[in-house]
Amino acid sequence: MPNSAPDISLRDFQQLIRKMYHEKDVARGVDGTFMWLMEEVGELAASLREGTPAETAAEFADVLAWLTTIANVADIDLTAAVVEKYGSGCPGCGRLVCSCDDAEKP
Amino acid sequence: MPNSAPDISLRDFQQLIRKMYHEKDVARGVDGTFMWLMEEVGELAASLREGTPAETAAEFADVLAWLTTIANVADIDLTAAVVEKYGSGCPGCGRLVCSCDDAEKP
């Protein structure tokens, strides 16, 4: 993957989406926002099948933005959530490089 | 939202997930990995309805992890994707605080 693009912290991204859309997001609520997430997930699936890399990248960005929007409405800190769940290794086996049995989820 | 948790960059998180799961992810491929994402999206929906905040946070982390896993398999840089799509304001109206018509998507 190229590393030329600027980095962004997960917390800054969540704040950016909050600043951009929070008023509308709150008015729409979790249920209405979840519908938009599902639409974007469908577009991502289609793009993974037949899109260009640029189109697929844009669909990933949209899914991430809508997921973040729902986290904002539900008052969940995504950074704290991922650090808690994945910051100490695989939640299944506890290792940095997962060694869970292949039949298991991860 | 609390700001006491350590921050993590989106690029570092994608690398963490890559290090943790890439070998299994590649073996499973995009299609098989997408199924896991869908299962986690379902668990997130259920948790938003009836979960505790801690349970809901963990489900957000799982959805984000599986989305990131698919990006790894598809060789998409999530950071570049979100900076390209959202780094200059709302993709619809171009403003930092979205002013798109309410009937429109964002």
Side-chain angles (χ1 to χ4, degrees):
Chain A
M1 285 179 299
N3 276 296
S4 54
D7 208 352
I8 186 170
S9 84
L10 192 51
R11 177 160 289 126
D12 285 348
F13 181 66
Q14 186 164 4
Q15 294 286 11
L16 177 72
I17 294 295
R18 170 182 288 270
K19 195 174 293 180
M20 221 175 270
Y21 298 118
H22 197 58
E23 199 175 319
K24 290 183 175 184
D25 292 340
V26 168
R28 189 170 33 220
V30 165
D31 292 28
T33 306
F34 211 91
M35 286 284 285
W36 286 116
L37 172 65
M38 291 298 88
E39 180 171 325
E40 293 299 342
V41 166
E43 291 179 9
L44 173 61
S47 190
L48 283 165
R49 286 249 184 273
E50 57 202 28
T52 65
E55 288 165 348
T56 304
E59 296 302 342
F60 271 105
D62 286 342
V63 172
L64 191 55
W66 283 101
L67 183 69
T68 303
T69 277
I70 298 173
N72 281 335
V73 177
D75 204 24
I76 298 292
D77 181 344
L78 285 179
T79 305
V82 301
V83 169
E84 168 75 19
K85 185 94 191 239
Y86 292 94
S88 306
C90 170
C93 63
R95 301 195 181 195
L96 184 55
V97 178
C98 169
S99 64
C100 291
D101 189 276
D102 278 349
E104 290 180 45
K105 194 165 187 176
Chain B
M1 286 180 295
N3 275 296
S4 55
D7 208 351
I8 186 169
S9 84
L10 193 51
R11 177 159 289 127
D12 285 349
F13 181 66
Q14 185 163 6
Q15 294 286 11
L16 177 72
I17 294 296
R18 171 183 288 269
K19 194 174 296 181
M20 221 175 269
Y21 298 118
H22 197 58
E23 199 177 319
K24 290 182 174 185
D25 292 341
V26 168
R28 189 171 35 220
V30 166
D31 292 29
T33 306
F34 212 92
M35 286 285 284
W36 286 117
L37 172 65
M38 291 299 88
E39 180 170 326
E40 291 300 340
V41 166
E43 291 179 10
L44 173 62
S47 191
L48 283 165
R49 287 250 183 270
E50 56 202 27
T52 66
E55 288 164 348
T56 303
E59 297 301 342
F60 270 106
D62 285 342
V63 172
L64 191 55
W66 283 101
L67 183 68
T68 302
T69 275
I70 299 173
N72 281 336
V73 177
D75 205 24
I76 298 291
D77 181 346
L78 284 178
T79 305
V82 301
V83 169
E84 168 74 18
K85 185 95 190 237
Y86 292 94
S88 305
C90 169
C93 64
R95 300 195 181 197
L96 185 56
V97 178
C98 170
S99 64
C100 291
D101 190 277
D102 278 348
E104 291 180 45
K105 196 163 186 176

